[in-house]
Amino acid sequence: MNAILLTGAALVGLPILLHLIMKQEPKRLNFPAFRFLTQRLKTNQRKLRLRHFVLLAMRMLLIALFSLTLFQPTVYSDRLNIRGEQPVASVVVIDTSPSMGYTAGDKTRLDEARRRALELLDELPDKSPVAVVTTDEPGAAVWEPVADARKRIGKLDKPRAGGQTVTAAVSQGYQLLGKIETPDAEAPEQLPKLLAVFTDRAAASWDAGQVEDLKKLRDKVPAPKPAQAVVDVGVEKPMNVGILSAEMRPQVIAANQPASITVTVAATGPADLPPIEVNILAKLDGSNDAVVRQATVPYGQSRAVQFDFKDLKPGLHQVEFSLKAADMLTADNVRYLTFKVGEARRILTIADDPDGTAFWQLSHQSKGEFGCLVVRPGDVKVRDGRTVVEYLDPAKPNGKPLEENVRVFEVVALLGVADPSDKHGTLDTLWEKLRPYVEAGGKLVVAPGRDLKTDGYLVGGNLMPGQFKTVVDTRRVDPAPPPQTAPGWEQPRDGRNGVTWFLDDKVIQHPMLKPFEGWQAKGNVDAIKNPRRAVKYWEVSKSPEATVVVAYNDAEKPGDRRPAVLERGVPDPREPTRVKGRVVLLTTRLDVPTQDDPAWNDYWDLEGSTWSVVFPWLVARYLAGDTADANFNFPAGQTVTVPLPKGGLPRGTKVLLEGPGGAEPIEVGDKQTELRLGPPRTLFAGNFRVSLEPQWRDGFSLNSPADESTLDKVPVEVIEDVTGKDTVAPLDKNVKLADILKVIVDQPIDLFPWLLIAVLLLLATEGLVANRFYRRPK
């Protein structure tokens, strides 16, 4: 446009030239006798000369203004004046998510974002307060000098697998701009403000559900409102092959079962490209021998690959899956998985008559999920503040008694103990011995036996879900129970011959009874077709803190039905609001019947039903937890809870955490039951082990979110809906950041339409003036 300016400048002199050419010379008239005519002539000449100069100036201004309009100038508000002396309160948001690890040339997207952010800091006045917000450390940003912010950004060496979205980081940025803290400014809230975001615009980084909240936070920032710039450091049309997931269900399997793991691989790129051959390697427990599987993956699609591992030893196992040929995004080239091959979990059964628990033991033995140790109440002792159990090894009946902490057992069952308040020759009652176990998170089952003393259970206090009152005999109760029906019975059976559980749709939603939902849908399960009945059971007064799991079908009205199973949560004394322990109370006996003491129910009757196995398993599985629900695999950045050894660890004990960042000893407190691990320890993907050699080992795996592999970009208009129009700009490696910020931040004002209007107005004015000056007199 320089030629236009030069031409316009030359044309400015054109009216002068025309003026000189067309200058009118007055005619000379000789009227010597009329002096007044001479004076009149001089007056007219002065007026004419003045009019010519006014019109000349207007025409010169018109040409100059027209040339300036053709140049289409813009003016920058320069309200931030980044290169000036006034400090600028700046929030720098840097996306550190896994997708920022995508490599283009020799740099990752995070390298580029870091370099550009440092460029921005170089432009800021030295006393500018800066807050650096990253997506991997929610809430960690503080206002600091430019030099400290530069150091913080320089430490961002690699992407983190866990953390928050960019929208959450921007939300934190608005909150920081709402309250600026700097000792160098008298009125920091009046400083110009800048929010600069450096991201690859990956879809996983932007949560559309937070947009409205972001707008509210943006509008709450006090004046002056912040200038905003979103710098896109991403790559256009990226290509990627990644492992989206490695899944196994359940994550605890029996020793004789193979571990079947499904690995899903996806390819991102143009759909018109031919499918790619992908080789996946699997290394079990750090072995150098890798199992290889191949998949043909079309671009834009995914494929599943199956891995099977057999003949595994009981204990913890971890697998690392990786692509044989790494690509430009390293975060999804590797996937991790932890699972366990389980040994039978243990139940401690305490009974006055160990022989009376034979059916209970056989039931768990046949199911195989729980092992059962049976002792007498006197075998439970307190040693050095710990509740322990003494017993003889069945393989060495004449050997030295073994001793174990009660906490190593998943469940403790009081099965047919007549009086738990009896000290049984020790200093403490059975309640006092078991209370620390339950309060620390232990699980207790209570079932009545013969010669039960109700006062002995009153001492149970806040452990018992209810108190035994009287024995109910359906053969003698008045009124008689209603007729009992079942899908497999041809006709209703007399309620006086025993009552079943009352199972409706609401009752079977309880976690202990949830399997009934599937069994009822099938209709052919014997526990549904031919349910068991109880002829005798205890009537129980329910504790206010307890709930009834299931009641007997012994009355027409729901409020009159007596409980069959009750439960009660037991809070931790150190955290009264946190319920950790649980007690389940059964109201009918489960001991072996004798000729003198007939059975109270047909639960142990094997004819036509597997209830003798199912019922003990339902109770134990509910209390100990279903292995199908066990999970050792989590998204990176999440807080992971690792149960510590149930026996408890002495104060000062250090467990070893091993992961991608190396090994770290962690000290645990006395009677601590679990280890909670959160960021920054969990910000990186990998296999982790927690151990106390040689007696205990546990572990878990962390992985990047699968959607970090898609690399689809958030539409510009979606982001600008929050940050404002024309605030998102792609940043080529050859373009200076200052030039981008000048366009985005300094808010250019286009003067062309205003200048065009001025030209039109001036042209109209010039025409009116010219017509008036040169109008001929009538």
Side-chain angles (χ1 to χ4, degrees):
M1 302 301 290
N2 292 333
I4 294 177
L5 286 176
L6 293 174
T7 304
L11 292 176
V12 169
L14 183 61
I16 300 176
L17 181 62
L18 293 175
H19 174 73
L20 294 175
I21 294 174
M22 300 179 65
K23 182 177 180 182
Q24 296 182 3
E25 293 290 338
K27 294 181 180 181
R28 299 181 180 274
L29 300 175
N30 296 321
F31 294 100
F34 300 97
R35 185 178 178 180
F36 72 97
L37 293 177
T38 304
Q39 294 176 347
R40 182 67 178 173
L41 174 63
K42 292 181 180 179
T43 302
N44 290 339
Q45 285 179 339
R46 284 197 297 269
K47 290 182 178 180
L48 184 62
R49 189 179 298 114
L50 178 62
R51 290 179 178 181
H52 279 304
F53 280 128
V54 170
L55 194 59
L56 177 66
M58 291 183 66
R59 288 171 176 173
M60 292 175 63
L61 179 61
L62 180 63
I63 294 174
L65 192 60
F66 184 73
S67 300
L68 183 63
T69 303
L70 291 179
F71 183 69
Q72 297 184 14
T74 55
V75 175
Y76 292 90
S77 66
D78 200 24
R79 55 185 175 143
L80 286 182
N81 194 19
I82 290 180
R83 295 182 178 178
E85 296 182 358
Q86 184 183 21
V88 178
S90 304
V91 174
V92 180
V93 177
I94 300 180
D95 185 356
T96 59
S97 60
S99 64
M100 292 288 285
Y102 191 92
T103 303
D106 59 346
K107 293 182 180 296
T108 66
R109 298 303 84 210
L110 180 59
D111 293 335
E112 185 67 16
R114 183 180 61 210
R115 181 171 75 89
R116 295 303 191 162
L118 292 174
E119 246 185 84
L120 170 62
L121 297 189
D122 291 339
E123 299 288 335
L124 293 176
D126 291 337
K127 293 185 178 181
S128 297
V130 180
V132 179
V133 182
T134 60
T135 57
D136 60 290
E137 292 186 284
V142 294
W143 290 106
E144 56 190 350
V146 173
D148 292 343
R150 185 176 287 109
K151 293 178 182 178
R152 185 183 297 273
I153 294 174
K155 293 178 181 179
L156 301 176
D157 54 345
K158 55 185 176 180
R160 271 67 169 173
Q164 60 185 350
T165 60
V166 172
T167 45
V170 171
S171 170
Q172 186 181 348
Y174 287 141
Q175 295 176 33
L176 287 165
L177 290 172
K179 187 177 181 180
I180 302 172
E181 299 176 358
T182 172
D184 298 328
E186 295 181 359
E189 66 279 357
Q190 298 301 320
L191 291 178
K193 304 181 181 85
L194 169 65
L195 175 69
V197 183
F198 298 86
T199 176
D200 59 356
R201 265 177 54 211
S205 67
W206 193 263
D207 184 359
Q210 295 185 5
V211 168
E212 294 304 319
D213 292 336
L214 280 180
K215 291 179 180 179
K216 293 177 182 178
L217 286 173
R218 176 199 63 191
D219 296 339
K220 286 182 180 179
V221 177
K225 295 296 183 180
Q228 302 181 72
V230 180
V231 181
D232 179 8
V233 297
V235 176
E236 295 296 329
K237 298 181 180 179
M239 295 182 63
N240 178 53
V241 177
I243 304 176
L244 295 186
S245 64
E247 297 181 337
M248 175 180 174
R249 287 289 183 270
Q251 295 176 14
V252 177
I253 60 174
N256 58 350
Q257 292 182 347
S260 297
I261 304 171
T262 302
V263 177
T264 303
V265 185
T268 300
D272 55 352
L273 292 177
I276 184 172
E277 298 292 332
V278 181
N279 290 305
I280 306 104
L281 310 181
K283 295 182 179 180
L284 178 66
D285 298 328
S287 172
N288 292 326
D289 298 328
V291 179
V292 183
R293 296 285 185 273
Q294 189 178 74
T296 302
V297 186
Y299 281 94
Q301 300 183 31
S302 62
R303 292 291 184 268
V305 181
Q306 189 79 19
F307 286 85
D308 292 313
F309 299 96
K310 300 179 180 179
D311 302 324
L312 300 173
K313 295 180 179 180
L316 182 77
H317 295 278
Q318 295 181 317
V319 192
E320 177 184 307
F321 299 96
S322 61
L323 299 181
K324 186 176 182 179
D327 63 359
M328 291 175 286
L329 181 59
T330 59
D332 59 3
N333 290 341
V334 184
R335 205 79 183 176
Y336 305 93
L337 181 79
T338 295
F339 66 94
K340 289 182 180 180
V341 177
E343 297 175 328
R345 296 184 288 175
R346 303 177 69 195
I347 298 175
L348 174 64
T349 301
I350 305 172
D352 290 340
D353 179 15
D355 293 336
T357 65
F359 286 148
W360 172 264
Q361 296 181 65
L362 289 172
S363 298
H364 290 298
Q365 183 179 344
S366 62
K367 187 69 176 177
E369 186 172 337
F370 294 94
C372 206
L373 172 65
V374 182
V375 299
R376 297 179 183 274
D379 297 328
V380 182
K381 306 177 184 300
V382 177
R383 296 247 174 88
D384 300 325
R386 300 179 303 132
T387 302
V388 299
V389 56
E390 283 187 352
Y391 64 96
L392 293 174
D393 187 349
K396 300 177 182 179
N398 298 322
K400 184 178 179 181
L402 301 177
E403 180 179 295
E404 287 190 88
N405 195 315
V406 170
R407 289 189 180 183
V408 304
F409 295 92
E410 300 283 348
V411 179
V412 173
L414 295 185
L415 205 64
V417 176
D419 186 4
S421 65
D422 190 343
K423 296 185 178 181
H424 297 280
T426 64
L427 296 176
D428 301 295
T429 67
L430 203 53
W431 293 124
E432 293 169 331
K433 297 172 185 176
L434 295 178
R435 188 181 302 279
Y437 164 79
V438 179
E439 290 177 343
K443 309 301 187 294
L444 178 65
V445 179
V446 179
R450 64 174 63 92
D451 302 326
L452 183 144
K453 297 180 179 178
T454 56
D455 291 344
Y457 283 87
L458 286 172
V459 183
N462 67 343
L463 295 183
M464 285 290 291
Q467 294 299 327
F468 296 115
K469 294 174 61 179
T470 59
V471 175
V472 177
D473 189 334
T474 60
R475 295 165 296 187
R476 299 178 177 82
V477 70
D478 188 31
Q484 309 293 300
T485 60
W489 296 346
E490 295 181 359
Q491 57 186 2
R493 301 190 180 183
D494 190 349
R496 289 199 177 276
N497 293 326
V499 291
T500 62
W501 285 359
F502 184 85
L503 297 171
D504 60 8
D505 292 339
K506 181 179 179 180
V507 170
I508 62 176
Q509 297 307 311
H510 189 277
M512 191 182 92
L513 306 176
K514 193 68 174 175
F516 278 95
E517 189 172 34
W519 297 342
Q520 286 184 348
K522 291 181 179 180
N524 59 352
V525 179
D526 53 34
I528 299 296
K529 292 176 62 179
N530 188 20
R532 302 291 88 177
R533 293 174 291 169
V535 178
K536 294 176 67 175
Y537 46 89
W538 280 89
E539 184 173 358
V540 174
S541 59
K542 184 180 75 68
S543 170
E545 296 81 9
T547 58
V548 176
V549 176
V550 62
Y552 294 113
N553 185 23
D554 59 355
E556 295 289 351
K557 295 181 180 180
D560 295 336
R561 295 175 186 139
R562 298 177 180 89
V565 181
L566 303 90
E567 71 170 341
R568 179 176 186 172
V570 179
D572 185 342
R574 294 172 296 182
E575 301 177 70
T577 58
R578 185 182 182 190
V579 175
K580 299 177 66 175
R582 191 161 298 278
V583 181
V584 168
L585 175 63
L586 312 177
T587 60
T588 189
R589 288 169 51 179
L590 297 182
D591 48 4
V592 176
T594 63
Q595 185 174 1
D596 298 331
D597 190 8
W600 285 29
N601 51 65
D602 59 357
Y603 291 179
W604 304 131
D605 186 356
L606 302 180
E607 184 177 353
S609 178
T610 56
W611 186 246
S612 59
V613 175
V614 170
F615 175 56
W617 172 78
L618 281 175
V619 176
R621 180 200 62 100
Y622 167 61
L623 290 174
D626 191 352
T627 54
D629 299 330
N631 182 37
F632 312 105
N633 300 277
F634 307 91
Q638 181 175 324
T639 298
V640 178
T641 300
V642 180
L644 292 173
K646 290 187 174 59
L649 298 175
R651 183 183 299 275
T653 300
K654 292 184 178 181
V655 297
L656 186 65
L657 173 65
E658 300 172 273
E664 175 191 1
I666 301 176
E667 185 173 324
V668 298
D670 190 31
K671 297 182 180 180
Q672 187 172 336
T673 60
E674 58 189 25
L675 185 66
R676 294 176 62 85
L677 302 171
R681 293 187 176 103
T682 60
L683 287 177
F684 296 98
N687 285 326
F688 293 77
R689 286 177 176 254
V690 184
S691 60
L692 183 66
E693 299 294 351
Q695 65 268 37
W696 175 75
R697 177 178 295 179
D698 209 332
F700 57 93
S701 294
L702 299 176
N703 288 289
S704 303
D707 53 7
E708 290 285 344
S709 299
T710 60
L711 300 181
D712 293 334
K713 288 197 171 188
V714 182
V716 171
E717 56 270 16
V718 174
I719 298 178
E720 290 184 346
D721 185 32
V722 175
T723 58
K725 191 176 186 304
D726 298 328
T727 55
V728 178
L731 189 57
D732 185 84
K733 65 180 180 179
N734 297 321
V735 178
K736 291 184 178 181
L737 179 67
D739 296 335
I740 294 293
L741 291 178
K742 187 175 182 180
V743 175
I744 296 179
V745 173
D746 289 344
Q747 301 295 321
I749 302 174
D750 189 2
L751 298 180
F752 177 77
W754 302 103
L755 290 173
L756 188 60
I757 293 173
V759 167
L760 295 175
L761 291 175
L762 186 59
L763 183 62
T765 303
E766 187 272 342
L768 291 174
V769 172
N771 289 334
R772 183 175 181 84
F773 284 179
Y774 296 115
R775 184 172 56 189
R776 292 175 179 269
K778 295 182 179 179

